[in-house]
Amino acid sequence: MSAKDVPRQVDTLRDQIRYHEHRYYVLDDPEIKDAEFDRLMNELKALEAQHPELITPDSPTQRVGGKPREGFVKVRHSTAMLSLDNAYNEEELRDWERRVHELSGESKVDYVCELKLDGMSLALRFDGGKLALGITRGGGAIGEDVTPNVRTVRSVPLTIPAKTLAKAGLPPDFEVRGELLMPLAAFQRMNDEREQQGLPKFANPRNATAGTVRVLEPNVTASRRLDFFSYAIFADGRTIFELHSETLKALQTAGFKVNPNHRLVHSRDEVWGFINEWEAKRDNLPYEIDGIVIKVDRIALQRELGFTGKAPRWAIAYKFAARSGVTQIEDILVQVGRTGKLTPVAALKPVFIGGTTVSRATLHNMDEIDRLGVRIGDWVSVERGGDVIPKVVKALEDKPRGTRRFHMPERCPVCGGHVVRAEGEADHRCINVNCPAKLRESIRHFASRGVMNIEGMGDALVEQLVEAGMVKNVADIYALDQEKLLKLERMGKKSADNILSEIKNSKTLPLERVIYGLGIRMVGERTAQFLAEHFGSMGALMKASEEELQEVNEIGPRVSESIREFFDEPKNVALVERLRQAGLAFKGQKKQRATTLAGKTFVLTGTLERHTRDEAKKLIEDAGGKVSGSVSKKTDYVVAGAEAGSKLDKARELGVVIICEKKMEELVKG
Ligand code: IVH
């Protein structure tokens, strides 16, 4: 490309990227693959790197540009950001509607029903079609300038072309208001990471949103994936359109994200219908809502109705019923999960909570029972969160207390196997591999690709085999024959033969796979590899004491205890013996591992030039190091290639050492 073509190419790329960002982040309807999008972005970044004079603040590459800041500047809102009055039941809603009719003198009023998104409200000012300011609500009159953080929210456009503004009927200078929120998936991920890093978790997505938009480091905001839904436009402090429904359309035309779940309705029955519909469907949404907002559609009527002290008379928030209730614990039962985890479950006097009758609530584990101080017979407060499984959140002290304490059983209620709680852990587990509750999961794991690689033995077949009682433990897989398989529904001779040949092939897989396949707790792929290399045979491993086990690379007291427990259970020993008789690999190669990088954890990010990801991983592991998928405080090095993204940001945030590929090779060589 000749130098004079560069500006045009930069413009074209920016337009393409903006178009695809809009398709992806606003419309949730991408046209191209992520890789293709990344290619466009990388091309633009490369051109901008060669021609920094062409970089503009509204370039899609400039979402995360701001430096960490000292604090936030206060900004006065163009018009106060008000809140909403609430209605908690049908009667209060009817009262509000009656007032609307009385005050306006109208007998028929159209309303727009919207979801009440549970985030925080935000004002965005655009000057000349470009995002100039993002301001939090604050006290309503004065908010805080959080512009650099708002720029990282992908559903907020940084610039809107004059043509698009004209089409939407918007002037170049205007203000958009809406709700900033954190989708549930992002919230979950963020709290998981915080837990790993030993940081306190956020109580709910709303708090997480508020915390995220006020961090001083825009990199952090960018990594947390907030979303923004708009619902109002002002120009010169006034609403531009005649109808609220037109405002929503104009916002969409201008490229803003508008929540699709809104409806223009013409009667009170329709309002009530919308409320009931979304109260029932709220758990299917990927973000939290706490009610429905009902707004008078006609803006002239809105003006007429005006405001009370802090809220408009033309809108109301219908708040969904609290999803908690009070009831009594009749008993505490124990459920055994697929991994053998024992979960104490409270059997409750049935109570109606948020639309359903609840008669069971989880108590998670023994630590939680101790923390809550819950006894059988107690009155408790029960909550139903977005995740549907109700939980006991509090024992009520002002009610008569129960007297029976709960104790975890020493034997599994499903199979009678030993129940163990490892030191320092909250969960009790059944350690019998043959426990029916654990059976499905353990067989799935054993047959899966990374373990014994028995192709064709997927979820459906495992289910059938267990159901038919043909497989009661993983050793039974090797007792299957054509006659048995043909008894299964939809099983033809050809499929049966294929599966049998896959089963036969699995016998050639190395010892480490068999060890991994046993499903010993805390023994993953890597630990299984170390065990196989250290002991060289299943027999030696089975005999090893806890002290001997701890001589193995990366194995500490907890893992060694878990391995010892596994082989101390006679049922497990019998199972392993059957696997030996079936002809699985019980001998391996003893191997001395390099220890150059022992105890060091690496994270790879970006495109490496000299090695593929797998090669780099192997290099590090062969030198005794460990490769992890995510950056945390425990990471020693981040190896950054070209176009490294959020992991690099995270490494900077946590002060982890960042190295290039070449440096990694040097470390490997010692
Ligand atoms: S309209 C004049 N619409 O609820 C009031 N607010 O409790 C303009 N909210 O501060 C607000 N979803 O943060 C409106 N669809 C929606 C909303 C919504 C959530 C929030 C907003 C407001 C709070 C009031």
Side-chain angles (χ1 to χ4, degrees), residues 543-614:
K543 284 203 292 273
S545 67
E546 284 190 39
E547 292 71 38
E548 284 163 340
L549 285 162
Q550 285 176 38
E551 286 166 18
V552 180
N553 202 3
E554 287 180 18
I555 292 187
R558 283 160 95 190
V559 182
S560 61
E561 188 189 339
S562 161
I563 298 171
R564 208 43 267 157
E565 253 161 21
F566 182 90
F567 290 117
D568 283 342
E569 169 73 44
K571 286 179 179 147
N572 294 340
V573 176
L575 176 92
V576 174
E577 174 55 21
R578 282 186 61 206
L579 291 175
R580 192 184 62 78
Q581 283 171 10
L584 270 65
F586 268 42
K587 285 225 173 317
Q589 277 291 317
K590 276 202 185 190
K591 190 164 141 191
Q592 209 57 36
R593 279 251 163 195
T595 51
T596 331
L597 297 180
K600 299 288 179 214
T601 302
F602 289 70
V603 171
L604 306 172
T605 179
T607 317
L608 304 182
E609 275 167 16
R610 305 155 69 97
H611 306 280
T612 65
R613 280 275 173 108
D614 284 343

Side-chain angles (χ1 to χ4, degrees), residues 488-550:
L488 298 174
E489 233 174 276
R490 292 184 309 278
M491 176 67 70
K493 192 163 169 305
K494 185 133 187 290
S495 320
D497 285 345
N498 283 342
I499 288 159
L500 290 170
S501 113
E502 286 286 332
I503 292 174
K504 192 163 156 224
N505 286 343
S506 75
K507 297 181 188 176
T508 62
L509 290 176
L511 174 63
E512 57 265 26
R513 297 270 194 137
V514 184
I515 297 173
Y516 181 32
L518 293 175
I520 306 169
R521 246 171 52 71
M522 295 192 266
V523 175
E525 194 175 356
R526 185 179 163 80
T527 305
Q529 174 95 39
F530 288 150
L531 289 169
E533 286 170 5
H534 186 95
F535 292 105
S537 76
M538 186 72 88
L541 166 63
M542 289 171 78
K543 284 203 292 273
S545 67
E546 284 190 39
E547 292 71 38
E548 284 163 340
L549 285 162
Q550 285 176 38

Side-chain angles (χ1 to χ4, degrees), residues 80-86 113-122 137 177-180 229-232 234 244 259 290-295 307 310-312 314-315 317 319:
M81 287 186 86
L82 301 172
S83 92
L84 293 168
D85 283 335
N86 296 322
C113 298
E114 295 174 11
L115 303 183
K116 188 166 189 307
L117 305 160
D118 204 4
M120 59 183 285
S121 49
L122 193 72
R137 175 169 180 272
R177 290 182 183 177
E179 199 79 356
L180 184 71
F229 288 102
S230 52
Y231 46 68
F234 297 92
H244 178 64
N259 194 286
D290 59 344
I292 298 295
V293 183
I294 302 119
K295 301 175 181 175
F307 301 85
K310 63 165 194 44
W314 48 261
K319 294 292 259 299

Side-chain angles (χ1 to χ4, degrees), residues 58 126-132 157-162 165 171-174:
D58 65 353
F126 284 78
D127 288 343
K130 293 193 196 316
L131 176 66
L158 297 180
T159 187
I160 303 167
L165 284 177
D173 299 347
F174 59 93

Side-chain angles (χ1 to χ4, degrees), residues 12-30:
T12 311
L13 282 167
R14 285 180 186 161
D15 284 346
Q16 287 177 323
I17 291 168
R18 282 179 192 129
Y19 173 80
H20 291 298
E21 275 189 327
H22 181 250
R23 302 260 356 165
Y24 187 94
Y25 293 108
V26 175
L27 303 178
D28 282 334
D29 184 19

Side-chain angles (χ1 to χ4, degrees), residues 436-447:
K438 290 166 67 179
L439 185 56
R440 280 179 187 77
E441 180 65 11
S442 59
I443 291 171
R444 249 182 234 140
H445 168 72
F446 188 85

Side-chain angles (χ1 to χ4, degrees), residues 17-314:
I17 291 168
R18 282 179 192 129
Y19 173 80
H20 291 298
E21 275 189 327
H22 181 250
R23 302 260 356 165
Y24 187 94
Y25 293 108
V26 175
L27 303 178
D28 282 334
D29 184 19
E31 261 175 25
I32 57 173
K33 294 232 166 68
D34 291 1
E36 176 66 6
F37 180 83
D38 291 350
R39 196 191 59 70
L40 293 171
M41 198 63 143
N42 288 340
E43 193 183 331
L44 177 61
K45 279 187 193 161
L47 284 175
E48 287 183 347
Q50 284 160 19
H51 303 272
E53 73 283 1
L54 295 178
I55 299 179
T56 55
D58 65 353
S59 169
T61 60
Q62 303 300 303
R63 283 196 179 267
V64 191
K67 290 195 193 66
R69 310 195 311 166
E70 306 270 291
F72 295 101
V73 177
K74 300 251 188 283
V75 183
R76 180 168 289 280
H77 285 294
S78 56
T79 61
M81 287 186 86
L82 301 172
S83 92
L84 293 168
D85 283 335
N86 296 322
Y88 291 97
N89 52 49
E90 198 172 358
E91 197 184 330
E92 289 178 13
L93 187 65
R94 213 178 303 140
D95 287 345
W96 171 74
E97 279 170 309
R98 196 177 304 124
R99 263 196 320 275
V100 168
H101 288 274
E102 278 168 14
L103 289 171
S104 65
E106 309 246 348
S107 59
K108 246 191 121 301
V109 178
D110 287 347
Y111 300 101
V112 175
C113 298
E114 295 174 11
L115 303 183
K116 188 166 189 307
L117 305 160
D118 204 4
M120 59 183 285
S121 49
L122 193 72
L124 307 176
R125 283 199 210 155
F126 284 78
D127 288 343
K130 293 193 196 316
L131 176 66
L133 262 182
I135 319 167
T136 61
R137 175 169 180 272
I142 294 172
E144 285 178 324
D145 173 357
V146 288
T147 316
N149 291 344
V150 169
R151 289 172 60 89
T152 68
V153 180
R154 302 299 202 281
S155 45
V156 171
L158 297 180
T159 187
I160 303 167
K163 255 204 326 227
T164 309
L165 284 177
K167 203 163 132 208
L170 292 182
D173 299 347
F174 59 93
E175 178 169 327
V176 165
R177 290 182 183 177
E179 199 79 356
L180 184 71
L181 58 80
M182 186 177 286
L184 286 164
F187 171 68
Q188 192 67 51
R189 200 185 55 205
M190 172 178 135
N191 263 353
D192 287 351
E193 280 175 18
R194 289 178 74 86
E195 188 166 31
Q196 254 184 27
Q197 293 163 18
L199 298 170
K201 296 205 267 182
F202 281 104
N204 53 50
R206 180 168 19 87
N207 292 359
T209 306
T212 298
V213 82
R214 290 192 79 261
V215 293
L216 293 166
E217 168 65 89
N219 274 329
V220 175
T221 319
S223 69
R224 291 198 190 155
R225 299 281 177 249
L226 296 173
D227 208 348
F228 179 75
F229 288 102
S230 52
Y231 46 68
I233 316 176
F234 297 92
D236 296 327
R238 279 171 69 93
T239 311
I240 311 174
F241 300 94
E242 285 183 11
L243 300 174
H244 178 64
S245 45
E246 285 173 356
T247 300
L248 296 181
K249 281 204 196 93
L251 282 165
Q252 263 167 305
T253 309
F256 290 93
K257 191 164 184 170
V258 171
N259 194 286
N261 308 309
H262 66 266
R263 189 180 298 158
L264 176 64
V265 301
H266 314 283
S267 70
R268 191 201 295 157
D269 284 352
E270 280 181 286
V271 169
W272 195 239
F274 188 88
I275 289 172
N276 286 320
E277 186 181 324
W278 282 103
E279 180 144 26
K281 289 200 295 198
R282 64 191 286 202
D283 288 337
N284 303 337
L285 291 166
Y287 42 78
E288 286 199 335
I289 62 173
D290 59 344
I292 298 295
V293 183
I294 302 119
K295 301 175 181 175
V296 167
D297 191 35
R298 203 145 56 77
I299 305 295
L301 187 48
Q302 286 190 3
R303 294 214 176 95
E304 217 175 290
L305 290 163
F307 301 85
T308 62
K310 63 165 194 44
R313 286 198 194 86
W314 48 261

